[in-house]
Amino acid sequence: MERNPMRRQLAIMRQSLFDQGHVDEQFVQLEELQDDANPNFVEEVVTLYYRDSARIILNIEQALERKPFDFRKLDAYMHQFKGSSSSIGAKKVKAESTLFREYCKSGNGEGCMRSFQQLKKEYATLRKKLGAYFQLARQAGPVETASRPK
Amino acid sequence: MKNSSGGKGSMSTASSITTWKAGDVVPVPDQFPAGLRVLVVDDDPTCLIILEKMLRNCSYDVTKCNRAETALLKLRENRNGFDIVISDVHMPDMDGFKLLEHIGLEMDLPVIMMSADDGKDVVMKGVTHGACDYLIKPVRIEALKNIWQHVVRKRKNEWKDLEQSGSVEEGDRQPKQSEDADYSSSVNEGNWKSSKKRKDDEDETEDRDDTSTLKKPRVVWSVELHQQFVAAVNQLGIDKAVPKKILELMNVPGLTRENVASHLQKYRLYLRRLSGVSPHSCNPNNSFMNPQDETFGPLSSVHGLDLQSLTASGQLPAQCLATLQAAVLGRSTAKSSIPMPLVNQRNIFSFENPKLRFGEGQQQHVNNNNKQVNLLHGIPTTMESKQLTSLRHTSQSIGNVNMQVAPHGAQNSQNNSSLIEMGQPLSRVQILNDSTVPLSVGQPIVPNGIAANVSTRNGIPENIRAPGYNLVSQTSSILNFPMNQASELPVDTFSLRSTLGMSDHTSKGAFHEDFNSEIKGSGGFLPSYDVFNDCQYKSQNWELQNAGMILEDSQHSNSLQGNLDLTQSVLVQQGFPSGQINGQNRSVPIVSKAMFSAGDSTEPGNLLNVNHHLNTIRADNTVRVKSESVADGNPSNLFAYHFGQEDLMIALLKQVGSFYFLLFTYQWEYLFTQFDFPTATRHHTSRKRVRFRWVFLG
């Protein structure tokens, strides 16, 4: 059956997401929420996250362009970002946000800049990986669908 | 189980307290907690959608909001529509804690806070604001599965409080629900009860069942109930507020139109008094004196100074005082007996002091709400030490008190937050004060006393309720307050509270937890009473009570002595914890009043004598002495003392609290008129005793 290899591949992909630390246990929570009524729940949520987080990242970028840094504002933005990132289980992104906030609290502008760059990188990686994952998942089709041999 | 067509309100008892479901969807009782109606508020759309799904998976009935304002609107629209609220801490339009406070004040629902922030301070803030739980994001579904426990726990506590207080309100409502034709609701009720039984004390539910056999008892206008009433009235508009509509809006089973009508009548009077009082800034004396006879004059002068200083310092809201005066004076229609003007006054003091005390943490009871202590901290520090020392010794001028008050007042405003920490009661008070809350006791005017009182509720829920109004009939009523007398005391307390400015704003969270039950039951009776009782002043209390009674009955001569004692005891009981009051007012007007009433045309000199006597009488009893000084607390002083802020006072007056306060002040005023202080002649004989019927607080 063609689905099997796809599902197998999907499973491998999924596992690597965890192994590489891109997602954590919270991601599993999302997966568990997925059911017949909401078969694409995880993807929907993650899409929503992209939209929201992109906005916040933009805000932070703009804030970082204004000197001197408004650390309180930056921290507030990052707090938001961290919240949503942790909700979907974006582990690395969340860790980087925490670091960024530490820099904000200590008023380390340079550290903030560096951390932010790193964060954007992680964020981009996550999006790419999750994107590929969901795409495959969609191709693999719902579990219940009978698969016809080619 | 059908959807409760009649569900709305059928299951809701004192709605906020015992309602399980009053909304459109009635959860299947057997499947509790399925169908729990949750409102989740979070500005983060990702989190919001995840939470919603998780809650749905828990079989809860979920409503989501991304803005706090929207959430509040939803809650206000449908007061009985939700069982629990989950809110994020950081939101752009409103701080999560502020929302928490609002909800606690207005709807008294359990609120769970959540945040990605797991710092100890934030979590502590949640606790102090009265959140029933705090979740750290990311939230797992397991954490949400058990949130129903907060709903049950809250209801359980409320029930318990009601029962203990002796109020039949709940009981009344419960049976009403059962009597509902709505089968589903009664089934739900029954099942709810049975499920509750499984979880809680079986006796509790049984008691409730028993109450169903009771004849519909006199309606106890608890704080909560009054809050609903005011909300309904405000919603309709005071002009258009007719009992029938109010009744419908309130949606309280067991409440009749007649109940509402009579309450509305009183409320209207109260409002009229409020509006009729023009703010006399810095003219507390005037207001003080004008309405009444000249007897006030001397008093005013005595207190006037204090008042002036107080007002000047901003501590005493002149307007409030004026209003109070007017209110009191205006209220010539004696509805109820003024049990013991003296006592009342003392109560005030006691309240005040206790509050302060509470801050000090003296009142153990009060310390139920750890916050309480904080609340008063401002005052106690200044007053207590002084009082204690002065108490024993020569009397201190009222000025002392005032002065103390004044600075305190200043502190109050600053210490509001600290006061608020008082704990729940405070928050409650604050809630009351909150203008947005129908039942606002008023801004924390006197964080000290009131908060304390309120907080004492924790330990003494029933007491509050009890305080019945009949101070007169029962000196004990005052003291009995803690003794669960369904008397007017609560009113006093309440008014005191309000006037005093339940200054606790911040501790809403905590407040509302305790307060809710407290306020509800007692209608504002100052827990201080309770505290006192606990404070081993029992014996004294009784004395005081007696004293009160004596005064009431104007058994002057004999009672003079007794009165004095009573006065003291009353004062003491009132919660003069450390005799804060003590030191201050040697010239305890109240005491003197008592003395006067006792039938001795005592000159001021006598008063002093009495004071001394009092002091000596109870040398051992510091408290007593305290009361003396307290008694001195001119009402104005008293108020000034407690009122930290004018607006608070105004707000307070505008609220239920003020309503009660009005009643209280009325008594208080009566006291003044009764005792012609300066001239030391008793006029009470010519006065008709006003019997205050503290029907509101039972």
Side-chain angles (χ1 to χ4, degrees):
Chain A
M1 321 253 211
E2 72 172 15
R3 279 193 32 138
N4 276 351
M6 281 193 98
R7 296 224 76 86
R8 222 177 318 129
Q9 191 183 355
L10 192 68
I12 293 171
M13 217 184 206
R14 181 182 172 277
Q15 194 54 45
S16 89
L17 282 175
F18 283 96
D19 293 342
Q20 291 172 8
H22 292 294
V23 296
D24 58 20
E25 175 58 26
Q26 189 64 17
F27 192 78
V28 179
Q29 290 268 316
L30 292 196
E31 288 179 323
E32 284 173 356
L33 290 175
Q34 194 157 284
D35 52 23
D36 292 350
N38 303 79
N40 301 312
F41 181 73
V42 186
E43 189 177 1
E44 284 164 13
V45 173
V46 174
T47 309
L48 195 58
Y49 163 72
Y50 290 156
R51 215 170 43 206
D52 194 44
S53 53
R55 178 181 56 85
I56 302 176
I57 285 182
L58 195 61
N59 286 342
I60 297 178
E61 264 178 356
Q62 288 172 351
L64 285 175
E65 280 163 16
R66 295 185 212 108
K67 305 281 199 304
F69 289 159
D70 182 350
F71 287 112
R72 270 222 328 204
K73 208 171 192 183
L74 287 170
D75 185 62
Y77 282 139
M78 193 48 78
H79 174 87
Q80 266 186 290
F81 185 80
K82 181 183 171 185
S84 25
S85 302
S86 65
S87 295
I88 69 152
K91 193 171 172 186
K92 280 191 178 173
V93 172
K94 176 180 165 185
E96 206 57 48
S97 331
T98 307
L99 194 60
F100 182 93
R101 289 191 75 197
E102 291 300 317
Y103 285 131
C104 281
K105 288 195 181 93
S106 57
N108 185 344
E110 191 53 42
C112 283
M113 299 274 288
R114 272 186 287 115
S115 172
F116 186 60
Q117 295 310 316
Q118 184 63 24
L119 183 136
K120 279 199 288 188
K121 268 196 348 212
E122 298 288 353
Y123 179 73
T125 308
L126 178 73
R127 279 185 81 143
K128 202 166 71 177
K129 288 203 179 273
L130 282 179
Y133 174 74
F134 289 131
Q135 196 175 18
L136 185 61
R138 264 184 271 120
Q139 283 175 10
V143 187
E144 301 77 22
T145 307
S147 57
R148 292 177 199 283
K150 254 228 174 61
Chain B
M1 172 191 42
K2 61 177 163 159
N3 270 352
S4 61
S5 45
K8 194 164 168 67
S10 60
M11 291 231 29
S12 60
T13 27
S15 14
S16 49
I17 298 182
T18 57
T19 303
W20 164 228
K21 289 167 191 19
D24 307 328
V25 178
V26 180
V28 180
D30 293 335
Q31 297 170 15
F32 174 81
L36 194 74
R37 295 160 308 163
V38 186
L39 176 68
V40 56
V41 191
D42 195 337
D43 65 312
D44 184 337
T46 315
C47 293
L48 201 57
I49 206 105
I50 294 174
L51 281 168
E52 188 194 27
K53 188 70 176 73
M54 283 181 171
L55 290 165
R56 288 248 159 84
N57 278 21
C58 293
S59 309
Y60 294 153
D61 183 359
V62 191
T63 310
K64 63 182 196 289
C65 283
N66 64 350
R67 291 188 69 241
E69 300 286 356
T70 321
L72 263 182
L73 230 83
K74 282 198 211 273
L75 287 166
R76 284 174 183 150
E77 276 171 16
N78 190 1
R79 267 169 198 280
N80 301 331
F82 300 99
D83 298 305
I84 189 166
V85 180
I86 302 180
S87 171
D88 188 38
V89 166
H90 299 276
M91 289 189 286
D93 63 332
M94 188 194 292
D95 182 40
F97 293 117
K98 194 135 180 52
L99 176 66
L100 168 60
E101 287 176 355
H102 277 297
I103 297 176
L105 279 171
E106 299 181 33
M107 296 104 201
D108 188 30
L109 289 174
V111 181
I112 295 176
M113 302 304 293
M114 52 173 187
S115 177
D117 203 344
D118 60 352
K120 201 178 81 154
D121 322 328
V122 191
V123 180
M124 177 60 90
K125 224 176 157 192
V127 172
T128 58
H129 282 68
C132 61
D133 203 355
Y134 191 103
L135 304 175
I136 308 291
K137 287 184 179 178
V139 179
R140 298 169 61 87
I141 194 170
E142 289 81 27
L144 297 176
K145 278 211 170 88
N146 291 325
I147 60 172
W148 57 262
Q149 63 174 292
H150 303 293
V151 179
V152 174
R153 189 178 294 116
K154 202 172 179 71
R155 301 243 174 98
K156 177 177 191 281
N157 290 339
E158 286 169 345
W159 269 322
K160 206 183 326 166
D161 292 337
L162 284 172
E163 282 182 350
Q164 287 171 346
S165 70
S167 155
V168 291
E169 203 174 37
E170 285 311 306
D172 187 30
R173 301 240 169 79
Q174 288 283 352
K176 286 266 178 244
Q177 295 176 4
S178 316
E179 293 161 3
D180 268 345
D182 189 348
Y183 176 76
S184 65
S185 52
S186 42
V187 165
N188 291 341
E189 168 100 20
N191 286 335
W192 166 241
K193 277 192 181 177
S194 49
S195 65
K196 199 178 180 310
K197 267 189 183 132
R198 286 193 290 274
K199 300 178 181 72
D200 308 327
D201 186 358
E202 189 164 343
D203 294 340
E204 243 177 55
T205 49
E206 279 171 7
D207 287 344
R208 255 178 288 288
D209 292 335
D210 291 340
T211 56
S212 61
T213 59
L214 288 174
K215 273 275 128 211
K216 183 160 180 289
R218 172 169 57 82
V219 170
V220 175
W221 282 92
S222 67
V223 165
E224 182 210 9
L225 194 58
H226 182 82
Q227 185 179 336
Q228 285 178 263
F229 169 85
V230 176
V233 169
N234 291 338
Q235 204 172 322
L236 293 167
I238 188 63
D239 299 320
K240 297 200 197 50
V242 285
K244 189 158 185 299
K245 289 210 183 118
I246 298 173
L247 188 64
E248 282 169 6
L249 268 178
M250 283 179 69
N251 193 20
V252 168
L255 197 65
T256 68
R257 200 201 67 83
E258 291 76 40
N259 298 138
V260 176
S262 69
H263 193 75
L264 178 66
Q265 193 180 25
K266 295 184 182 108
Y267 186 68
R268 283 224 176 95
L269 271 172
Y270 155 74
L271 288 179
R272 218 167 336 121
R273 302 245 173 278
L274 279 187
S275 56
V277 177
S278 50
H280 309 287
S281 56
C282 302
N283 266 342
N285 296 337
N286 294 344
S287 48
F288 196 159
M289 305 200 294
N290 290 342
Q292 291 300 336
D293 43 60
E294 0 15 297
T295 54
F296 287 92
L299 282 170
S300 311
S301 52
V302 175
H303 310 293
L305 191 57
D306 298 326
L307 288 174
Q308 292 284 10
S309 55
L310 285 171
T311 38
S313 65
Q315 301 315 319
L316 172 65
Q319 293 182 19
C320 294
L321 185 62
T323 306
L324 288 173
Q325 313 250 342
V328 175
L329 296 174
R331 256 177 139 29
S332 51
T333 53
K335 292 186 176 170
S336 49
S337 55
I338 298 187
M340 172 100 61
L342 273 179
V343 177
N344 294 339
Q345 243 185 337
R346 266 179 277 219
N347 295 342
I348 299 180
F349 278 103
S350 46
F351 286 120
E352 301 296 359
N353 293 333
K355 304 207 179 83
L356 298 177
R357 266 314 189 203
F358 285 107
E360 295 300 320
Q362 307 250 336
Q363 304 300 343
Q364 295 314 312
H365 319 292
V366 180
N367 284 333
N368 292 336
N369 294 321
N370 32 357
K371 304 327 186 294
Q372 295 182 350
V373 177
N374 303 335
L375 201 71
L376 295 177
H377 65 62
I379 301 187
T381 50
T382 54
M383 315 255 333
E384 275 190 336
S385 49
K386 286 208 177 101
Q387 292 184 352
L388 285 170
T389 50
S390 58
L391 183 62
R392 305 296 182 156
H393 315 303
T394 52
S395 54
Q396 298 185 2
S397 63
I398 296 183
N400 267 355
V401 184
N402 296 327
M403 281 165 46
Q404 292 187 0
V405 175
H408 181 73
Q411 293 175 28
N412 288 345
S413 28
Q414 301 162 11
N415 297 334
N416 280 343
S417 50
S418 54
L419 289 179
I420 296 190
E421 294 178 26
M422 277 244 329
Q424 302 166 7
L426 286 177
S427 51
R428 220 28 182 160
V429 177
Q430 184 183 0
I431 294 180
L432 293 175
N433 292 333
D434 189 343
S435 52
T436 63
V437 180
L439 175 67
S440 55
V441 177
Q443 298 307 318
I445 297 180
V446 184
N448 315 329
I450 305 200
N453 289 334
V454 180
S455 46
T456 50
R457 187 196 78 76
N458 287 331
I460 318 176
E462 45 283 26
N463 289 336
I464 303 190
R465 294 206 196 174
Y469 347 126
N470 283 327
L471 290 181
V472 182
S473 50
Q474 327 157 26
T475 31
S476 55
S477 61
I478 298 181
L479 299 175
N480 285 339
F481 179 67
M483 317 240 184
N484 301 323
Q485 289 207 346
S487 43
E488 290 85 331
L489 277 183
V491 179
D492 282 350
T493 324
F494 196 82
S495 48
L496 279 181
R497 254 207 314 225
S498 39
T499 51
L500 292 181
M502 311 270 232
S503 51
D504 191 347
H505 312 281
T506 59
S507 55
K508 206 173 277 222
F511 180 75
H512 97 79
E513 283 173 3
D514 296 333
F515 189 81
N516 291 336
S517 47
E518 206 175 358
I519 301 281
K520 294 193 179 68
S522 56
F525 184 80
L526 296 174
S528 56
Y529 282 109
D530 297 335
V531 177
F532 274 102
N533 285 333
D534 299 329
C535 293
Q536 76 200 308
Y537 288 134
K538 276 220 160 90
S539 53
Q540 295 157 7
N541 293 342
W542 284 106
E543 280 184 30
L544 288 175
Q545 292 179 350
N546 296 330
M549 294 194 62
I550 296 177
L551 291 174
E552 168 86 6
D553 300 308
S554 62
Q555 300 160 14
H556 320 294
S557 43
N558 308 334
S559 21
L560 176 57
Q561 202 61 60
N563 290 343
L564 290 176
D565 291 345
L566 290 173
T567 313
Q568 287 181 319
S569 36
V570 170
L571 289 174
V572 175
Q573 289 204 326
Q574 294 309 335
F576 291 94
S578 47
Q580 295 171 343
I581 305 187
N582 300 336
Q584 318 208 337
N585 310 322
R586 276 317 272 213
S587 54
V588 186
I590 297 182
V591 175
S592 20
K593 290 204 178 60
M595 295 193 283
F596 291 131
S597 62
D600 309 330
S601 51
T602 59
E603 301 294 332
N606 292 346
L607 182 58
L608 287 178
N609 294 338
V610 176
N611 288 332
H612 286 296
H613 178 77
L614 290 171
N615 291 330
T616 53
I617 289 177
R618 310 201 189 277
D620 55 320
N621 188 350
T622 336
V623 175
R624 299 221 183 147
V625 179
K626 298 188 185 142
S627 51
E628 265 191 333
S629 45
V630 178
D632 186 48
N634 303 315
S636 55
N637 291 340
L638 188 58
F639 296 116
Y641 182 81
H642 299 289
F643 297 117
Q645 302 162 28
E646 189 172 322
D647 350 342
L648 292 182
M649 189 55 175
I650 299 289
L652 173 63
L653 291 175
K654 290 192 169 103
Q655 300 300 332
V656 175
S658 50
F659 184 57
Y660 290 122
F661 176 79
L662 178 60
L663 294 175
F664 178 81
T665 52
Y666 180 65
Q667 286 193 21
W668 179 73
E669 284 297 333
Y670 180 73
L671 170 61
F672 273 106
T673 58
Q674 258 216 339
F675 303 104
D676 194 354
F677 190 96
T679 62
T681 53
R682 288 206 330 267
H683 291 236
H684 54 261
T685 45
S686 58
R687 282 192 184 278
K688 178 170 147 59
R689 284 210 181 270
V690 177
R691 303 205 73 84
F692 252 117
R693 296 211 301 115
W694 300 96
V695 298
F696 304 98
L697 304 173

